[in-house]
Amino acid sequence: MKVISWNTRGLGSRNKRRVVKDFLRSENPDVVMIQETKSMKCDRRFVGSVWTVRNKEWAVLPACGASGGILIIWDSKKLRNEETVIGSFSVSIKFSLDGCGPLWISAVYGPNSPSLRKDFWVELVDLFGLSFPLWCVGGDFNVIRRSSEKMGGSSLTSSMKDFDSFIRECELLDPPLRNASFTWSNLQESPVCKRLDRFLFSNEWGQLFPQSLQEVLPRRTSDHWPIVLETNPFKWGPTPFRFENMWLQHPNFKENFRNWWRGFQGNGWEGHKFMRRLQFVKAKLKEWNKASFEELNERKKSILNDLVIFDAIEQEGGLTPDLLVQRALRKGELEELILREETFWRQKARVKWVKEGDCNSKFFHKVANGRRNRKFIKVLENERGVVLNKAESITEEILLYFEKLYASPVGEPWGVEGLNRSPISEESVSRLDSPFTEEEISKAVFQLDRDKAPGPDGFTIAVFQDCWDVIKEDLVRVFAEFHRSGIIYQSTNASFIVLIPKKSLIKKISDFRPISLITSLYKIIAKVLLGRLRGVLHETIHSTQGAFVQGRQILDAVLIANEIVDERRRSGEEGVVFKIDFEKAYDHVRWDFLDHVLEKKGFSPRWRKWMCGCLSSVSYAVLVNGNAKGWVKASRGLRQGDPLSPFLFTLVADVLSRMLLRAEERNLLEGFRVGRNKTRVSHLQFADDTIFFSNTREEDQQTLKSLLLVFGHISGLKVNLDKSFIYGINLDQDHLSRLALMLDCKASRWPILYLSLPLGGNPKACGFWDPVIERISGRLDGWQKAYLFFGGRITLIQSCLTHMPCYFLSLFKIPASVAAKIERMQRDFLWSGIGEGKRDHLVSWDVVCIPKAKGGLGIGKISLRNLALLGKWLWRYPREGTALWH
């Protein structure tokens, strides 16, 4: 089914109706919802001039004078009207559709007047009660939900809060717009853009149409873009083999696996033989799966039917001892099936914070479907701006893009000399090169996440963990061979690239983040090497780098940056802050430069050979809508998804720090002097997030620009100037603009986001905390109530406390009003019923917050948590006297 909604801003003009008619002819929808018809009467002739489909019916909310009005038209051959309800702001139709029960579709036009919005929400809540359970509502709501839905952002207004409350209390799904951020603009030279139009639907609608997709269509007239909701299934290609962790629940699995593993006969190199053995087991697994696991739903139906029969016999006169035993066995089979089903969907959903066995299968199913929907590529724009909509041309464009991305640039490599590299100690070199032990390998295997998506071999780490006693001897021999030769075979180092959207508006292949799914064997090898490398990085990485080094934390960098900016502002001295973005940072790293860095930092030839083996044998296939396409051989870049990559990148980025320090020593660059000891700080790094502090002299900016250009040439890490910004401290705008022009970047204003926390803002202002409120609101979205039982809701609340506000709470004092608002959201979510809206709060929140040992749920008060996290700095202060933040 295809539903289109469009605020056309009037249909009185013949020319406009002609444009709308041509648009609908090209789109061929099943339902059309038009707002602001500005028409008092819509007869057959009028409707026919808008949509020419032969079999159609319609319903109308007449305009009030020359404003408002709603027209909803549908194809009567596909949808049969059972009931029509016309309200003050909506038109709702009850349809019957083959293959499902009755469903409701409502077209709305929200009022602009704040005084009428209360009536609007009341009407929509009434419609939700009338149309339950299958309801979809769409149209121009004339209000945004999030501050991000207005260009440039917006403060939270009462209307936004009411809209958000309506969605959450009715437990509606708010699907993202896949190809745009806004649905309305004022058509001015400096436009104001908002997302006023959207589709919302109930959980039951989401279950009936799990692959529903919402997009913006081209705007031919009006100041609103048309939006479309499509419920048709995606056309996914054949997917590669993937081990299902639910197979591990089968009582005979481990014995079968042992027999298959030992039944393989083969010769050759240990690494190659190990991968061939996995291929042999894969073939056996496919046969065994067909024989042992018939369709889960069919088996479940069969068991439930048997239980109904047993219950009927019991009510007629009782069950015999044999029937009692059979009923108990069937109930046991049902529990086992439910656990397998939940394990299956949990693996696909990749949700870490909630566990199996908590009756959350529907939740996992919903998350898994959401992941598939977001990753589906329907159309793609190539480098020339041509829109591709055929599977073959999309695949060809994607493969061409990755061939270019991972191709090493032509030309002689450059080097840089005269830097203090801080090489690692001889003792560390010896430790890095020592033989691998079974204990070390076992520790790495059991530290890995058992549910992570598998690579081309198809096996999850859960197999290695549960069958460790079967595979450990062969795995130890693979490591012994790798220690001697340093060779990793191409089959071991093959990868799938999965394309993860970076944002909701996806147009080009560059809008996706390529994440590598690596084989289970390489994942274990990389994890063991990482364990060794992690232990020596602190010897060679400068203190300005805060990522992936033992004893350093992400909050250190944010604290230092805030203190530097605040102190500079108070001093009255001029200064600039330059925040840069590296273009495709991981993907552009030159392998020859990385090897040069390892050599200069004192790593042995053996370790460098191992790193070369990990990089040079890499090849990729790209998963396009679930189907593996092509093979691309890489000659540069670090894979996002390889455990080693962040640590190798840190070594590369450290060279930039050393270059900047050398420039400071030669008085070519001057940073800020901060603290009691007037410590000089010119830059901070956290992996590829880099921020510079300097005075306002043009010579310093020119030096910085030259250093970045040289570093980009030798390492491959070029600065993306379109995403780099300069900010002034106590500096007039004209001077800042001149410096921005010199650096070829953009001048911007405070506050800014640095490592996802505000820099240069006022934490006492409630608006400072709006991003936290919005993130928690989105995470505790109403739809999750319908899929999570009480235990799951408790876990989600605790997860939100840990991962969302705590990042802010570790650095800033939260205002009491903001803490109260967050706790109110948590209370409402905890006590919400399954599809029942609000319910009474059965226990005082003070009791809920106390520890479990004392009868509470251990959620904790936000204000107390804030004090504890801030107090941690006092605990760290005497213990980390040499840290840069000290």
Side-chain angles (χ1 to χ4, degrees):
M1 183 164 55
K2 184 175 183 178
V3 185
I4 287 178
S5 171
W6 193 7
N7 183 333
T8 59
R9 297 301 301 271
L11 287 175
S13 160
R14 284 187 179 180
N15 287 337
K16 180 168 282 191
R17 293 202 299 274
R18 192 177 297 117
V19 170
V20 173
K21 179 172 67 175
D22 181 69
F23 165 74
L24 294 177
R25 186 188 296 119
S26 65
E27 292 295 334
N28 193 27
D30 302 306
V31 181
V32 178
M33 307 190 306
I34 296 175
Q35 301 89 44
E36 278 206 272
T37 59
K38 299 184 180 181
S39 177
M40 298 285 291
K41 183 180 178 182
C42 297
D43 56 17
R44 176 171 292 278
R45 185 173 181 180
F46 180 89
V47 173
S49 69
V50 174
W51 195 19
T52 56
V53 68
R54 177 170 295 180
N55 302 285
K56 58 178 172 284
E57 295 180 18
W58 63 93
V60 178
L61 172 65
C64 182
S67 64
I70 299 174
L71 171 63
I72 179 169
I73 323 171
W74 61 91
D75 187 334
S76 56
K77 283 189 71 175
K78 299 176 182 178
L79 296 161
R80 296 184 298 278
N81 177 19
E82 293 187 355
E83 187 178 344
T84 301
V85 175
I86 298 178
S88 301
F89 310 99
S90 64
V91 176
S92 302
I93 311 295
K94 181 181 181 182
F95 291 114
S96 60
L97 188 66
D98 293 337
C100 69
L103 54 85
W104 285 81
I105 297 179
S106 298
V108 300
Y109 177 57
N112 258 322
S113 168
S115 61
L116 293 176
R117 283 202 178 115
K118 297 291 183 185
D119 297 333
F120 179 50
W121 303 129
V122 169
E123 181 173 315
L124 290 185
V125 170
D126 290 343
L127 282 175
F128 172 71
L130 170 72
S131 59
F132 188 82
L134 288 170
W135 184 43
C136 173
V137 54
D140 177 6
F141 288 83
N142 254 322
V143 64
I144 61 175
R145 184 186 182 190
R146 310 278 190 211
S147 61
S148 58
E149 293 176 359
K150 179 182 177 183
M151 182 181 286
S154 166
S155 57
L156 284 172
T157 65
S158 59
S159 295
M160 292 165 63
K161 294 172 186 175
D162 290 341
F163 191 17
D164 185 63
S165 295
F166 158 70
I167 293 172
R168 289 193 292 110
E169 289 173 12
C170 293
E171 300 172 7
L172 299 178
L173 304 185
D174 184 10
L177 277 174
R178 278 173 54 95
N179 61 341
S181 301
F182 311 107
T183 63
W184 171 85
S185 75
N186 63 352
L187 303 176
Q188 300 299 309
E189 185 176 344
S190 299
V192 175
C193 298
K194 298 180 182 180
R195 185 186 175 190
L196 301 178
D197 309 80
R198 67 199 330 129
F199 285 100
L200 305 167
F201 46 79
S202 63
N203 292 304
E204 290 72 18
W205 179 288
Q207 291 178 45
L208 181 63
F209 305 112
Q211 296 171 337
S212 294
L213 188 80
Q214 182 177 198
E215 293 183 314
V216 160
L217 297 173
R219 178 172 62 180
R220 306 187 182 194
T221 183
S222 176
D223 51 5
H224 286 255
W225 280 271
I227 59 173
V228 60
L229 180 71
E230 290 194 73
T231 62
N232 297 333
F234 300 141
K235 296 178 181 177
W236 290 84
T239 55
F241 165 82
R242 292 190 177 185
F243 184 90
E244 304 295 352
N245 284 354
M246 69 174 183
W247 294 341
L248 297 168
Q249 308 291 337
H250 195 283
N252 299 328
F253 173 80
K254 193 167 181 181
E255 187 60 35
N256 287 331
F257 184 87
R258 187 191 309 274
N259 294 333
W260 298 331
W261 189 265
R262 293 178 177 172
F264 172 78
Q265 300 295 325
N267 299 311
W269 295 93
E270 291 296 336
H272 188 56
K273 192 164 62 175
F274 192 94
M275 295 303 294
R276 286 170 55 205
R277 197 186 297 269
L278 285 177
Q279 290 286 343
F280 177 78
V281 172
K282 183 194 297 184
K284 295 291 185 181
L285 266 171
K286 290 178 179 179
E287 297 172 8
W288 174 77
N289 178 49
K290 288 180 181 178
S292 302
F293 287 81
E294 61 184 79
E295 188 67 36
L296 284 177
N297 286 334
E298 294 302 319
R299 288 189 64 190
K300 193 191 290 187
K301 286 179 184 177
S302 172
I303 293 171
L304 290 172
N305 287 336
D306 290 348
L307 292 177
V308 169
I309 294 170
F310 287 136
D311 291 344
I313 294 173
E314 184 179 44
Q315 293 190 20
E316 289 175 2
L319 294 171
T320 65
D322 285 346
L323 290 177
L324 284 170
V325 171
Q326 288 182 39
R327 182 169 70 173
L329 289 173
R330 294 300 268 171
K331 283 186 175 180
E333 290 177 29
L334 180 62
E335 289 175 4
E336 182 187 339
L337 273 180
I338 290 172
L339 178 58
R340 288 179 189 172
E341 184 182 38
E342 195 160 292
T343 305
F344 172 80
W345 284 110
R346 179 174 184 268
Q347 182 182 350
K348 289 185 176 299
R350 315 269 183 256
V351 176
K352 295 182 179 180
W353 53 265
V354 70
K355 298 293 183 184
E356 302 151 10
D358 287 336
C359 303
N360 292 309
S361 296
K362 286 185 178 179
F363 172 77
F364 295 134
H365 193 162
K366 179 66 194 170
V367 174
N369 279 329
R371 288 167 59 88
R372 284 167 61 94
N373 293 1
R374 287 193 300 274
K375 290 188 291 186
F376 185 78
I377 302 174
K378 187 179 179 183
V379 295
L380 199 65
E381 186 180 300
N382 66 15
E383 291 180 349
R384 299 182 302 278
V386 178
V387 176
L388 311 173
N389 53 20
K390 292 185 178 179
E392 297 80 10
S393 56
I394 288 174
T395 300
E396 184 180 343
E397 175 66 20
I398 290 172
L399 291 176
L400 182 63
Y401 172 84
F402 283 108
E403 285 174 4
K404 291 180 180 178
L405 181 65
Y406 295 123
S408 182
V410 179
E412 288 294 321
W414 283 17
V416 58
E417 301 295 339
L419 302 180
N420 176 14
R421 305 282 188 163
S422 297
I424 60 176
S425 66
E426 291 185 8
E427 182 185 346
S428 294
V429 171
S430 176
R431 194 164 60 247
L432 287 174
D433 291 353
S434 62
F436 302 107
T437 64
E438 182 182 320
E439 181 184 0
E440 185 181 18
I441 299 167
S442 171
K443 182 181 178 182
V445 168
F446 284 92
Q447 282 179 343
L448 288 165
D449 191 328
R450 57 190 286 118
D451 288 330
K452 284 286 187 179
D457 62 337
F459 285 89
T460 63
I461 292 297
V463 186
F464 290 75
Q465 293 176 349
D466 287 19
C467 302
W468 173 246
D469 58 323
V470 178
I471 58 102
K472 65 180 180 182
E473 292 180 4
D474 296 286
L475 195 55
V476 169
R477 284 196 291 271
V478 170
F479 271 86
E481 179 187 81
F482 174 67
H483 189 276
R484 289 191 306 271
S485 68
I487 295 173
I488 294 182
Y489 297 94
Q490 192 162 321
S491 59
T492 304
N493 216 357
S495 306
F496 283 153
I497 292 177
V498 60
L499 302 173
I500 306 296
K502 295 179 185 177
K503 51 188 178 180
S504 58
L505 175 56
I506 299 297
K507 288 184 177 180
K508 300 180 179 181
I509 185 61
S510 57
D511 294 329
F512 291 88
R513 179 174 287 107
I515 302 297
S516 295
L517 306 180
I518 55 182
T519 66
S520 50
L521 177 57
Y522 177 78
K523 198 178 292 184
I524 295 168
I525 293 172
K527 184 68 174 178
V528 171
L529 294 173
L530 165 61
R532 296 187 172 191
L533 182 59
R534 191 198 300 267
V536 304
L537 276 187
H538 66 280
E539 299 178 20
T540 188
I541 300 298
H542 194 261
S543 59
T544 52
Q545 172 64 262
F548 310 113
V549 180
Q550 287 180 347
R552 303 180 196 174
Q553 302 178 20
I554 188 171
L555 283 167
D556 297 357
V558 186
L559 174 67
I560 295 166
N562 270 282
E563 290 298 317
I564 288 173
V565 171
D566 288 346
E567 184 170 326
R568 194 73 171 191
R569 280 178 170 173
R570 289 194 302 268
S571 71
E573 293 180 65
E574 294 180 345
V576 293
V577 175
F578 185 30
K579 187 170 180 283
I580 66 167
D581 178 84
F582 286 114
E583 182 181 321
K584 301 289 180 186
Y586 278 57
D587 304 317
H588 283 176
V589 171
R590 295 181 63 129
W591 293 349
D592 52 4
F593 180 72
L594 173 59
D595 183 63
H596 173 75
V597 171
L598 291 173
E599 181 184 12
K600 293 295 184 181
K601 285 186 173 290
F603 289 86
S604 69
R606 169 171 280 174
W607 181 268
R608 287 165 51 209
K609 187 177 182 182
W610 290 350
M611 293 301 101
C612 180
C614 290
L615 297 174
S616 61
S617 56
V618 171
S619 60
Y620 302 93
V622 187
L623 292 179
V624 182
N625 295 339
N627 191 8
K629 297 290 186 180
W631 282 100
V632 176
K633 190 75 177 74
S635 56
R636 71 168 174 179
L638 302 173
R639 290 176 291 186
Q640 295 185 61
D642 182 342
L644 276 171
S645 293
F647 297 84
L648 296 178
F649 184 88
T650 300
L651 287 164
V652 171
D654 186 63
V655 175
L656 177 58
S657 281
R658 306 291 173 172
M659 292 171 66
L660 289 164
L661 293 170
R662 181 64 173 151
E664 284 186 69
E665 290 170 6
R666 298 175 63 182
N667 295 318
L668 298 174
L669 193 66
E670 184 180 347
F672 289 1
R673 293 189 178 274
V674 293
R676 293 186 303 274
N677 300 324
K678 294 299 178 183
T679 304
R680 182 185 288 181
V681 180
S682 62
H683 66 287
L684 293 171
Q685 291 180 299
F686 192 87
D688 60 332
D689 275 294
T690 305
I691 189 167
F692 301 97
F693 308 96
S694 74
N695 61 34
T696 58
R697 291 187 310 176
E698 294 186 1
E699 295 84 354
D700 283 39
Q701 308 309 314
Q702 194 61 53
T703 299
L704 180 56
K705 183 178 181 181
S706 300
L707 287 172
L708 290 172
L709 287 172
V710 170
F711 178 70
H713 192 87
I714 62 176
S715 66
L717 300 180
K718 296 182 179 178
V719 175
N720 184 348
L721 294 171
D722 285 337
K723 295 183 180 179
S724 300
F725 298 90
I726 189 170
Y727 307 87
I729 300 176
N730 304 320
L731 190 66
D732 65 82
Q733 190 62 36
D734 290 341
H735 193 169
L736 184 66
S737 298
R738 287 198 305 274
L739 295 177
L741 188 64
M742 177 185 296
L743 291 168
D744 295 324
C745 68
K746 298 174 183 175
S748 192
R749 299 181 182 276
W750 303 95
I752 66 174
L753 277 183
Y754 178 58
L755 301 178
S756 301
L757 281 177
L759 176 60
N762 178 15
K764 294 180 181 179
C766 292
F768 179 90
W769 297 84
D770 282 352
V772 179
I773 300 293
E774 285 205 2
R775 287 190 68 202
I776 293 176
S777 174
R779 198 76 167 86
L780 299 180
D781 229 339
W783 68 267
Q784 307 205 39
K785 289 183 272 189
Y787 298 102
L788 286 173
F789 283 73
F790 191 71
R793 294 205 295 277
I794 293 171
T795 308
L796 178 54
I797 290 171
Q798 292 171 330
S799 159
C800 284
L801 270 174
T802 302
H803 296 110
M804 291 183 183
C806 281
Y807 191 39
F808 271 69
L809 297 177
S810 297
L811 208 58
F812 306 112
K813 182 81 167 63
I814 189 170
S817 60
V818 177
K821 185 170 187 176
I822 293 174
E823 289 185 350
R824 183 169 64 251
M825 293 165 66
Q826 292 167 347
R827 282 199 306 272
D828 292 344
F829 182 81
L830 177 65
W831 296 112
S832 57
I834 305 298
E836 299 174 12
K838 287 187 175 179
R839 292 181 63 184
D840 293 335
H841 297 189
L842 303 180
V843 180
S844 158
W845 187 248
D846 290 335
V847 175
V848 169
C849 289
I850 64 177
K852 291 182 181 180
K854 296 183 178 180
L857 295 177
I859 290 175
K861 288 276 191 179
I862 286 184
S863 55
L864 293 177
R865 189 179 294 262
N866 186 203
L867 286 174
L869 289 168
L870 292 174
K872 189 176 179 182
W873 291 103
L874 295 175
W875 179 85
R876 289 180 61 192
Y877 188 80
R879 290 167 174 80
E880 301 180 21
T882 59
L884 181 60
W885 67 270
H886 194 275

